[in-house]
Amino acid sequence: MHVPDGFINAPTSAVTGVVAAGAIAVSLRGARRELDERTAPLAGLVAAFIFAVQMLNFPVAAGTSGHLLGGALAAILVGPYTGVLCVSVVLLMQGVLFADGGLTALGVNITDMAIVTTVVSYAVFRGLLAVLPRKRRSVTVASFVAALVSVPAAAVAFTFMYAIGGTTDVSIGKVATAMIGVHVLIGIGEAVITALTVSAVIAVRPDLVHGARGLQQRLRLRVNGDLVDAPAPTAPVAARTSRRTLWITGLVTSLVLAGFVSFYASANPDGLEKVAHDKGIDKKAEKHAAADSPLADYGVKDVSDARLSGGLAGVIGVGVTVVAGSAVFWAVRRRRNADVSPVNTGL
C-alpha cells in the first residue's frame, strides 16, 4: 500500500506530513515509557523483520498480491508508540533507498501504514484481551483479529485521503469498493503472519512481548470462605532463550527472508497498484525522486543476475534498517534514562 508521488495532491500531502510529524513526536515521547534495556534492542529487530517480510509478496486473487504492513505486529511486540516508530523507520528506508513509496507522499504513507494500522490494531487487540481468558492463546487470537482488521482500515484511510486530495477523477465509491475488497483478502495474510510471529516470540520470551504483559492472573485462594490473592512468586520463571539468542535468531531469519526467500515472492502487483491501474488512479503518478538510487526497485545497480541483485538489496535493506532503528530506539532509551535520573527528579 505504498502510495507513489502524484496520487494525492500537494496540499493533502502537506497536511498528512504535519499529521505524521506530530504522531512521530508523540510516539517518541510515548516510546520512552515502553522501552527499556531489554526491549529497545528488540524494537530495532522488529523494524528490520518488517522490512524483510514486506519483500515477500503473497498472491491473493485475480492477479493481485499483498504483503505485510506490520503495524499490528509492531504494536503488539513492542508497544503502540514504538510500533509507529518501527513502521515509520521502515517506510523512510524504503522511500529513500529503494524508491518504494513517494517522498512527497511520505506523510501519506506514514499516516496510513504506520499510524492507522497501529492505532486500530492495538485498540482491537486490547479490546479483545479485556474479554478473552488471560492466556497466551488469547494473545495469539487477539493478534490475528487485530491484524486482520488493520489492513482494510488502512484501505479505508487511503480512500478518505483520496476523496480529499486525489489527483484523478475517479468515483470514490469504486475506489472504496476495490480497495477494501482486495485488502480484506490481504488482511488474512497479515493476520496469519502476525499471529505466527507473536506466538513464536511468546513461546520463548513472553516477558519481552508488550501485549503479553500482565498476562497471567494472580492465583486466588479461598480462606475462610473468602477469595484472596496468593503471594507473588519469589523468583521469575526462567526464560527459554536469552535475549541475545532471540536477537541473533531474528536477525538471521530477516536476512534469509530478504536475501533468499524474497526471490520467490509473487510478482503480481500489490493491492494498491492493481486498483490504481484498473481504476485509473495512476494516470498522474510521478517519477520517484530516488528512481536512480543504486538500490531502486529492490535490486543492486549494475548486478545483472536478478537473484543476486535482489538478494543483496534485501540484505542491505535489513542491515540499514536494523542499524537505523536500533539507533533511534537506543536514543529514546537514553532519553528515558536521563528523564528518570536523580538530577532530573530533584533528589
Side-chain angles (χ1 to χ4, degrees):
M1 199 180 292
H2 295 77
V3 180
D5 295 320
F7 278 27
I8 306 296
N9 63 27
T12 306
S13 296
V15 171
T16 57
V18 172
V19 171
I24 289 174
V26 171
S27 296
L28 285 169
R29 190 173 185 85
R32 297 180 203 170
R33 300 190 298 271
E34 294 173 345
L35 296 172
D36 54 30
E37 66 281 356
R38 299 178 310 121
T39 57
L42 178 63
L45 177 62
V46 168
F49 182 77
I50 290 173
F51 175 91
V53 180
Q54 282 196 2
M55 294 184 66
L56 308 181
N57 281 47
F58 48 85
V60 284
T64 309
S65 70
H67 62 70
L68 181 80
L69 299 185
L73 177 62
I76 294 165
L77 287 180
V78 293
Y81 294 107
T82 308
V84 169
L85 298 178
C86 282
V87 181
S88 297
V89 167
V90 172
L91 293 172
L92 181 62
M93 295 299 104
Q94 291 170 331
V96 172
L97 298 179
F98 297 90
D100 189 9
L103 295 184
T104 62
L106 186 59
V108 173
N109 285 317
I110 290 177
T111 300
D112 196 23
M113 296 177 63
I115 301 171
V116 171
T117 59
T118 300
V119 171
V120 170
S121 64
Y122 199 70
V124 172
F125 176 79
R126 279 300 172 194
L128 289 173
L129 283 191
V131 298
L132 292 173
R134 299 178 63 82
K135 298 179 179 180
R136 292 182 183 179
R137 183 176 299 175
S138 297
V139 175
T140 302
V141 172
S143 299
F144 183 94
V145 177
L148 176 63
V149 173
S150 71
V151 179
V156 171
F158 169 79
T159 303
F160 178 73
M161 287 184 280
Y162 185 80
I164 296 174
T167 56
T168 53
D169 186 17
V170 180
S171 167
I172 300 304
K174 292 181 179 179
V175 174
T177 301
M179 284 292 293
I180 297 171
V182 71
H183 283 91
V184 167
L185 299 177
I186 294 173
I188 297 173
E190 177 102 10
V192 171
I193 295 170
T194 300
L196 289 176
T197 305
V198 170
S199 178
V201 179
I202 286 181
V204 294
R205 289 301 300 259
D207 58 310
L208 297 181
V209 178
H210 185 276
R213 291 179 181 177
L215 184 63
Q216 298 297 329
Q217 289 181 309
R218 179 72 65 85
L219 178 64
R220 308 198 75 190
L221 303 176
R222 187 173 295 278
V223 179
N224 297 327
D226 297 324
L227 287 175
V228 298
D229 289 336
T234 57
V237 178
R240 295 178 61 179
T241 187
S242 68
R243 280 180 285 154
R244 177 176 297 180
T245 300
L246 176 64
W247 196 91
I248 293 174
T249 301
L251 181 60
V252 170
T253 300
S254 300
L255 290 170
V256 170
L257 291 175
F260 177 72
V261 180
S262 63
F263 182 77
Y264 301 98
S266 173
N268 291 331
D270 67 22
L272 177 58
E273 291 173 333
K274 178 68 172 175
V275 172
H277 177 74
D278 291 348
K279 304 301 179 183
I281 298 175
D282 59 357
K283 290 179 180 178
K284 295 187 178 181
E286 300 173 1
K287 181 180 178 181
H288 199 287
D292 296 327
S293 165
L295 299 173
D297 297 323
Y298 298 94
V300 177
K301 189 176 181 179
D302 297 329
V303 176
S304 58
D305 184 273
R307 184 191 298 267
L308 179 60
S309 177
L312 286 175
V315 169
I316 293 170
V318 168
V320 172
T321 303
V322 75
V323 170
S326 297
V328 169
F329 300 123
W330 178 82
V332 171
R333 187 189 69 177
R334 285 288 299 270
R335 184 64 181 271
R336 164 183 168 146
N337 292 341
D339 288 345
V340 299
S341 67
V343 173
N344 288 337
T345 55
L347 297 178

